Amino acid sequence: MTYLITQTLNGLFSAALLFLIASGLTLAFGVMKIVNIAHGSFYMLGVYIAYTVILRTQSLLLGAAAAIVVVSALGFVMQRFFLRRFGNDPLAQMMMTMGFALLFRDATLMIWGGDPFTLQYPGWLRGSMEAGDVVFPYYRLFVIVVAALVGVALWAINEKTLLGARLRATVDDPEMASAMGINVTLLSGLVFAAGAGLAAFGGVMGGPILGGYAGLDFDLLPLAFVVVIVGGMGSLKGAFVGSLVVGMIDNYGKALVPELSYFTLFAPMILVLALKPTGLYGRA
Amino acid sequence: MLQITDLHTYYGESHVLQGVTLAAARGTVTAVLGRNGVGKTTLCRSIAGLTPARAGAVVFDGNDITRTPPYRIHDLGISLVPQGRRIFPSLTVQENMAIAVNTTRSQGWDLQKVFAVFPRLAERRQNRGNELSGGEQQMLAIARALVARPTFLILDEPTEGLSPMLVAEVAGVIRRLKDEGTSILLAEQNAAFAVKVADYVHVMSKGVVVHSTDPVALWQNEEVKTQLLGVPAAVSPPNTRPGT
Ligand SMILES: Nc1ncnc2c1ncn2[C@@H]1O[C@H](COP(=O)(O)OP(=O)(O)O)[C@@H](O)[C@H]1O
Ligand SMILES: [Mg+2]
């Protein structure tokens, strides 16, 4: 029982990180139909930028803020000046994001070297919660709560605000959205930037546990894609449910049959695709 | 108000508008008629900026908008009611309009007025676009264009697929908007409907305007009617009330 609860909590922690990464990936896909291979790089850059700023300033908050701002800006520039040029050619866009991903990987190696590190825990989140036999670090609990709050905030923006309505209109029919006065290009850039910022924030949140190392970007990318594909490309709700499914399966899979960890991860994806090609909440 | 000069529009290599010239005067209803495929929708799309023309000019209130992006054309006061309605399926009735609202012009329609004029939309305001009937979608498409407070309204086949009762309602809305001072471009295959509401008509064929006249004269021209509009000669004239 203790084992079950602990593994479930660990699964929730993975799901929380995955959601922070995958929500931006799925939003960008919904609005622009961009399959962004560089999305894992945004997470990685978030960790590294936060690391540098925290080293200099000793402020976790400043580190997080810098990571989000810098990576969002990077995402905006990437969309505005590069991806947008291939607006109706998904393959060209994907190849371009692949190029960016490799560029970011090499730049990271050049600037920071390849040595692994972890971010500091915030002081007030050291230690573990103990309930009976279950021991669970406060920090992981904190990440779960934060991701849940981010999820609620994204849902509220998407469903309850005018900006959200504009976003959904653009996902429904970008051409009509522009005819109804929406600057689709600008909105797309902002969504892409917000997605990049979310991934960077995910990096900061995951930093004390997963840390930063060479190859982090491409370790996370397949997981994020499985989440988005299982949940349905473009669906926020899908990213939420997909994160839970993948987080749990990945955790239990690795705990129970570690030698099959890629099988346990991709099997559910193939199953979902076989039964519902658009993913759980995707649209045709 | 709107002056279109020698407009050439392509879809890829396909040359659809082959030099369209026409003007729409302020406060009038200008109809563009013609059979399926002559380029009426393409003309509407070129004005709205969705398929910008490669050559020629669209000048609106003195501004050359030939290559202006659609969202800016919308802000300048041109609203489009597209063929096929194109309602956003995942937005509620209210949201479908809210995203298009423009309050830079102090006078004009708002959601309250829409709900007063189209009570059916008020009842359905929380329903999603994909839950509406065809008639409701058409009213919403018109309402969505109106809340932007356009000075110029483009209606592309607004009567397509509607029951006679709803067609009459659309005619009523067009007359009302005209009385309010809105200028209208009406693209229609349904010539019998168009001549009832239009002040002036242009007939298109194969991407050019081939005949321009007033509605009464058009309806008396059997040759144009049968050859360019596909109206059987036997159809008797409707109660033509041009410009009312
Ligand atoms: N998106 C498109 N791509 C290529 N050709 C098109 C497209 N839309 C319309 N056409 C062609 O352009 C011509 C004019 O079409 P359209 O403007 O829709 O005519 P209308 O509205 O008068 O029926 C037709 O021959 C049609 O097949
Ligand atoms: Mg048409």
Side-chain angles (χ1 to χ4, degrees):
Chain A
M1 189 62 198
T2 307
Y3 175 78
L4 220 62
I5 293 175
T6 308
Q7 284 306 331
T8 303
L9 284 170
N10 278 330
L12 278 179
F13 170 74
S14 304
L17 279 189
L18 282 175
F19 178 72
L20 292 177
I21 307 173
S23 49
L25 189 60
T26 209
L27 281 177
F29 182 83
V31 176
M32 280 161 281
K33 310 291 175 260
I34 285 181
V35 176
N36 181 17
I37 306 290
H39 202 69
S41 318
F42 292 152
Y43 176 101
M44 180 182 69
L45 287 172
V47 189
Y48 278 89
I49 291 167
Y51 176 69
T52 299
V53 173
I54 292 168
L55 270 188
R56 301 265 158 91
T57 64
Q58 304 306 318
S59 161
L60 295 182
L61 221 56
L62 268 184
I68 293 170
V69 170
V70 172
V71 176
S72 298
L74 205 60
F76 188 79
V77 169
M78 208 173 130
Q79 198 279 340
R80 185 97 190 162
F81 297 104
F82 296 94
L83 299 176
R84 187 158 75 100
R85 291 166 184 266
F86 302 97
N88 38 26
D89 188 348
L91 187 63
Q93 282 183 333
M94 196 176 88
M95 293 315 289
M96 177 149 263
T97 64
M98 179 81 190
F100 271 104
L102 297 176
L103 191 83
F104 291 145
R105 188 192 62 175
D106 288 354
T108 307
L109 262 177
M110 258 170 59
I111 299 172
W112 285 284
D115 294 340
F117 62 89
T118 54
L119 297 184
Q120 309 166 22
Y121 283 87
W124 54 283
L125 284 172
R126 282 176 210 284
S128 291
M129 175 202 76
E130 290 174 42
D133 291 338
V134 179
V135 179
F136 195 70
Y138 281 124
Y139 184 74
R140 289 183 180 233
L141 214 54
F142 171 71
V143 172
I144 295 170
V145 172
V146 167
L149 291 177
V150 168
V152 170
L154 288 178
W155 172 83
I157 291 171
N158 198 41
E159 294 297 323
K160 301 292 170 199
T161 68
L162 191 58
L163 176 67
R166 293 205 167 109
L167 251 170
R168 279 178 287 134
T170 304
V171 175
D172 277 353
D173 187 342
E175 183 177 88
M176 264 315 114
S178 70
M180 295 307 144
I182 296 173
N183 185 343
V184 170
T185 312
L186 181 63
L187 188 66
S188 300
L190 292 177
V191 168
F192 198 78
L198 265 174
F201 179 62
V204 175
M205 287 283 110
I209 312 245
L210 299 184
Y213 56 91
L216 173 62
D217 42 358
F218 284 102
D219 277 358
L220 289 170
L221 191 68
L223 285 167
F225 269 108
V226 173
V227 167
V228 169
I229 291 169
V230 166
M233 311 266 289
S235 163
L236 207 54
K237 192 170 160 191
F240 189 81
V241 175
S243 299
L244 281 175
V245 171
V246 173
M248 288 297 168
I249 289 179
D250 193 39
N251 239 280
Y252 274 100
K254 277 187 181 142
L256 298 174
V257 275
E259 62 277 20
L260 290 182
S261 65
Y262 265 94
F263 176 79
T264 49
L265 183 60
F266 284 97
M269 179 179 100
I270 292 167
L271 190 72
V272 168
L273 286 184
L275 297 175
K276 197 163 183 297
T278 53
L280 295 174
Y281 298 99
R283 49 175 85 203
Chain B
M1 162 137 256
L2 186 79
Q3 175 66 52
I4 293 163
T5 314
D6 194 25
L7 210 63
H8 291 262
T9 300
Y10 296 70
Y11 294 109
E13 287 310 299
S14 150
H15 191 180
V16 174
L17 295 190
Q18 310 193 352
V20 172
T21 298
L22 63 83
R26 189 178 304 277
T28 64
V29 177
T30 308
V32 175
L33 306 180
R35 291 179 191 256
N36 192 22
V38 298
K40 303 182 296 297
T41 295
T42 307
L43 177 62
C44 296
R45 292 175 56 88
S46 288
I47 299 170
L50 298 175
T51 314
R54 256 187 231 173
V58 181
V59 176
F60 176 64
D61 281 345
N63 301 312
D64 185 333
I65 58 165
T66 318
R67 269 163 281 276
T68 304
Y71 75 93
R72 295 225 27 242
I73 292 176
H74 182 264
D75 290 348
L76 286 173
I78 299 182
S79 280
L80 172 68
V81 179
Q83 181 164 15
R85 302 113 162 82
R86 305 271 294 263
I87 294 303
F88 300 107
S90 65
L91 271 59
T92 63
V93 166
Q94 184 154 347
E95 286 172 336
N96 261 285
M97 290 184 279
I99 61 156
V101 164
N102 186 322
T103 49
T104 53
R105 283 171 288 278
S106 57
Q107 299 278 312
W109 288 66
D110 54 21
L111 265 59
Q112 258 178 333
K113 182 167 173 189
V114 164
F115 288 142
V117 174
F118 304 104
R120 188 80 190 127
L121 292 181
E123 285 168 34
R124 305 282 261 153
R125 75 170 76 185
Q126 294 306 335
N127 284 96
R128 303 232 177 216
N130 57 7
E131 299 165 351
L132 305 181
S133 71
E136 288 166 346
Q137 286 194 359
Q138 188 62 64
M139 294 308 154
L140 179 55
I142 295 174
R144 180 178 67 174
L146 293 179
V147 294
R149 302 187 171 172
T151 51
F152 194 90
L153 182 68
I154 304 170
L155 293 158
D156 193 359
E157 307 267 3
T159 65
E160 196 179 30
L162 296 189
S163 68
M165 209 180 79
L166 285 168
V167 171
E169 190 171 340
V170 171
V173 172
I174 291 174
R175 292 196 181 102
R176 171 181 188 145
L177 292 172
K178 192 190 149 185
D179 288 344
E180 291 175 356
T182 310
S183 316
I184 295 173
L185 185 84
L186 170 67
E188 263 294 352
Q189 262 195 77
N190 182 349
F193 168 79
V195 295
K196 281 191 235 175
V197 294
D199 299 296
Y200 204 73
V201 292
H202 301 277
V203 179
M204 283 183 71
S205 175
K206 295 181 189 149
V208 289
V209 173
V210 291
H211 196 80
S212 301
T213 177
D214 67 80
V216 178
L218 178 84
W219 207 253
Q220 286 159 357
N221 189 330
E222 290 300 330
E223 195 187 323
V224 171
K225 259 165 59 180
T226 49
Q227 291 184 8
L228 297 173
L229 302 176
V231 182
V235 170
S236 58
N239 294 330
T240 315
R241 294 192 296 158
T244 51

